[in-house]
Amino acid sequence: SQTIHQWPATLVQPVGSPLSLECTVEGTSNPNLYWYRQAAGRGLQLLFYSVGIGQISSEVPQNLSASRPQDRQFILSSKKLLLSDSGFYLCAWSGGSGSSREREQYFGPGTRLTVT
Amino acid sequence: RKEVEQDPGPFNVPEGATVAFNCTYSNSASQSFFWYRQDCRKEPKLLMSVYSSGNEDGRFTAQLNRASQYISLLIRDSKLSDSATYLCVVNSGRNTGKLIFGQGTTLQVKP
């Protein structure tokens, strides 16, 4: 079966510090991968999605970047964090194009980031 | 207009009650529809996909009305463990895997 891992679970970082959040998926190949942010009391906002290694699409202009160095690894980064970057960061996967599970997305446990 | 709109609630119901949530979406090209459940400070989990013919999974029934761009979720015989936020989700258009999430409807089931 497929599993998705994210770490760390919680993170407190000062303004201006760098960020690296990692997401890995097991039990599937060629997944579509997604990064979302959920601010306190708000809905999920899609930040990035990837359909393959090195292929990243950005949904909103922001202080963050994403990379996909391996098929099942997705990384969210920032060079300098802002207070507004605080939130609950969620990684998700779905089946790749043509997969029977292309439509549904499955989420990792998330990273709760507080920028101070 | 929001792409996916839900009544945020909260819906406070007694155990055993039947409760219904509604959701409207704005993109007529959307092809995929889902309900997710999110517990406090946890990740969303897929509850059920929503099909044109309607579908049922135990105490949960989902309906889709494409003409009205409206989705519903019915929960029968509510349990305390059903307390959560229910997210209505649609894909952003034809042939795209990008999903748009509603802000959720909060359900509190009381003993």
Side-chain angles (χ1 to χ4, degrees):
Chain A
S1 64
Q2 299 82 12
T3 55
I4 178 168
H5 304 278
Q6 281 187 252
W7 63 92
T10 59
L11 193 58
V12 180
Q13 293 281 101
V15 168
S17 64
L19 174 74
S20 181
L21 302 181
E22 190 161 342
C23 169
T24 58
V25 181
E26 296 177 357
T28 187
S29 57
N30 303 316
N32 292 338
L33 297 173
Y34 308 84
W35 277 113
Y36 289 86
R37 176 171 58 206
Q38 187 174 36
R42 308 205 42 195
L44 272 74
Q45 179 186 38
L46 179 63
L47 302 175
F48 301 95
Y49 71 95
S50 171
V51 299
I53 295 174
Q55 300 178 63
I56 310 292
S57 295
S58 174
E59 286 298 295
V60 292
Q62 59 201 303
N63 184 41
L64 302 167
S65 62
S67 62
R68 185 170 176 174
Q70 299 179 47
D71 181 45
R72 288 170 287 180
Q73 183 185 29
F74 205 22
I75 297 172
L76 184 70
S77 305
S78 173
K79 291 181 180 177
K80 287 187 178 182
L81 284 168
L82 306 172
L83 285 174
S84 58
D85 291 325
S86 293
F88 190 34
Y89 287 83
L90 291 153
C91 180
W93 74 273
S94 69
S97 177
S99 160
S100 62
R101 301 181 78 176
E102 182 180 6
R103 302 182 313 135
E104 301 148 354
Q105 292 183 18
Y106 300 90
F107 287 84
T111 295
R112 199 161 296 278
L113 172 67
T114 303
V115 182
T116 60
Chain B
R1 182 185 172 187
K2 289 182 184 176
E3 293 182 88
V4 178
E5 292 209 57
Q6 294 182 252
D7 179 347
F11 284 57
N12 295 301
V13 303
E15 270 187 292
T18 296
V19 61
F21 305 140
N22 303 318
C23 164
T24 57
Y25 61 95
S26 61
N27 189 344
S28 60
S30 293
Q31 296 284 315
S32 303
F33 309 91
F34 310 94
W35 284 100
Y36 278 73
R37 169 193 170 129
Q38 186 173 24
D39 291 289
C40 187
R41 300 180 69 81
K42 297 287 189 180
E43 75 275 21
K45 294 186 177 177
L46 179 65
L47 180 65
M48 58 198 305
S49 301
V50 186
Y51 304 116
S52 297
S53 55
N55 47 302
E56 187 174 309
D57 183 0
R59 297 181 294 110
F60 299 84
T61 300
Q63 297 279 354
L64 169 65
N65 183 323
R66 286 186 186 270
S68 302
Q69 294 179 206
Y70 169 99
I71 306 162
S72 65
L73 177 68
L74 183 77
I75 305 176
R76 291 181 299 278
D77 189 22
S78 299
K79 311 291 185 191
L80 294 176
S81 57
D82 293 334
S83 298
T85 297
Y86 291 84
L87 306 175
C88 176
V89 183
V90 307
N91 76 321
S92 63
R94 199 178 302 276
N95 298 325
T96 173
K98 291 192 286 183
L99 299 182
I100 308 297
F101 286 75
Q103 289 203 268
T105 298
T106 299
L107 172 65
Q108 192 67 244
V109 181
K110 299 190 181 297

